[in-house]
Amino acid sequence: MDLTLSEGQFNLVYNSFSFVIASMGAALLFFLLARTRVAPQHRMAVTLSTLVVAIALYHYVRIFGSWEDAFSYAGGEYTQDGKPFNEGYRYVDWLLTVPLLLAELVVVLKLTQSKTRSLIVRLTIAAVAMIVLGYPGEILDADDSMRTVWGVLSTIPFLYILYVLFAELGKSLERQSDGVKKLVDALRYIILATWGIYPIAYMLPSLIDDEANAEVARQVMYSIGDVLAKPLFGILVLGIALAKSREDGYIEPGTTPSATSADA
């Protein structure tokens, strides 16, 4: 793809990547510092959140560098005449982080061991299928009919994931406390809202005639989706872990029961 972007278009994508890097870095530090506030039996979910943002931080640094290397500036415009922009970094990131995101939610619910294993295996297979099937279409030209075919194939496991989250995980909510139930229910809808950004961004090259505008909108939307689906998702998972820790009577090291009560 040979693109010519205005300064504004190039910088919008450039700054969106920079924003994601800052968000992932801040989330990584936050999750590391907040980990001790969670009871040991609930820390695995926070550990997974930390891994997700760490992986995303690394890949966005690579995406940021690839975007810079792909363009040269002349005459007030940026022309894509350098190294090809590597879209693969984003898909490798998703291949690693999406199964971990889904595992976070399952692990923090503390379901039975067999139920947890079954859900994680099924959701992981569906997530990998969704990403692997989406990539071939992503790198095709907007007017290639196979782009739509790959997009439809990728949507099938995407819908299956949503079904599992709403139908099967919904059943588990009855065994949760009222506070946790509200957080998990909110988390499921956030997944629906944030993950809905990705198929829309995927379709933009086929919906927008102007190639430059389509590419800019796609990259910015993917960046927004990643911030919402990773740091924000992790914060809500942390909230569930903290709520469960309080229910278990966990006291953070360095505090006393009386101090905890006074803070409340």
Side-chain angles (χ1 to χ4, degrees):
M1 181 189 298
D2 294 325
L3 287 176
T4 298
L5 304 177
S6 67
E7 284 189 68
Q9 288 174 321
F10 178 86
N11 287 330
L12 180 58
V13 177
Y14 184 92
N15 292 332
S16 70
F17 292 161
S18 179
F19 173 72
V20 178
I21 290 171
S23 299
M24 297 301 173
L28 174 61
L29 181 60
F30 176 71
F31 293 145
L32 287 172
L33 294 175
R35 189 172 181 273
T36 57
R37 298 183 59 191
V38 176
Q41 63 268 30
H42 301 301
R43 285 180 187 168
M44 179 56 71
V46 182
T47 299
L48 292 174
S49 296
T50 307
L51 284 174
V52 165
V53 294
I55 293 168
L57 174 61
Y58 166 77
H59 282 106
Y60 263 94
V61 169
R62 301 302 300 268
I63 290 170
F64 184 86
S66 182
W67 183 259
E68 277 191 301
D69 293 341
F71 292 86
S72 62
Y73 180 76
E77 293 180 330
Y78 285 88
T79 304
Q80 189 177 10
D81 56 3
K83 298 178 183 178
F85 177 62
N86 191 346
E87 198 73 55
Y89 286 136
R90 192 183 298 281
Y91 274 78
V92 172
D93 174 70
W94 290 340
L95 193 62
L96 295 171
T97 58
V98 172
L100 291 175
L101 284 169
L102 295 169
E104 285 177 47
L105 178 55
V106 176
V107 168
V108 80
L109 291 178
K110 286 295 179 183
L111 306 174
T112 63
Q113 187 173 2
S114 60
K115 186 68 172 178
T116 297
R117 185 186 303 112
S118 172
L119 284 172
I120 289 178
V121 169
R122 286 187 288 152
L123 288 172
T124 297
I125 292 172
V128 170
M130 175 180 68
I131 296 159
V132 170
L133 292 171
Y135 181 67
E138 189 77 84
I139 60 177
L140 292 175
D141 292 336
D143 57 356
D144 192 320
S145 60
M146 286 303 297
R147 180 183 178 85
T148 302
V149 172
W150 287 113
V152 170
L153 291 174
S154 178
T155 301
I156 295 172
F158 172 76
L159 294 175
Y160 174 75
I161 290 171
L162 294 182
Y163 164 76
V164 171
L165 290 176
F166 277 85
E168 299 203 29
L169 283 183
K171 298 174 185 176
S172 72
L173 295 182
E174 299 304 320
R175 296 189 294 274
Q176 307 294 331
S177 66
D178 289 340
V180 172
K181 187 184 301 183
K182 290 178 181 177
L183 286 171
V184 175
D185 201 37
L187 197 57
R188 293 190 304 155
Y189 283 99
I190 285 175
I191 290 174
L192 178 62
T194 57
W195 284 29
I197 292 174
Y198 295 103
I200 294 172
Y202 184 94
M203 293 186 295
L204 287 178
S206 301
L207 299 176
I208 301 176
D209 291 334
D210 186 283
E211 188 177 41
N213 285 332
E215 180 65 10
V216 170
R218 185 170 68 93
Q219 296 298 338
V220 171
M221 285 189 70
Y222 278 153
S223 299
I224 293 171
D226 279 343
V227 170
L228 296 176
K230 294 183 175 76
L232 178 60
F233 185 92
I235 288 171
L236 288 172
V237 167
L238 174 62
I240 295 171
L242 288 171
K244 282 183 168 287
S245 297
R246 287 192 295 269
E247 291 173 1
D248 293 345
Y250 176 70
I251 300 173
E252 183 182 351
T255 63
T256 63
S258 58
T260 304
S261 300
D263 291 340

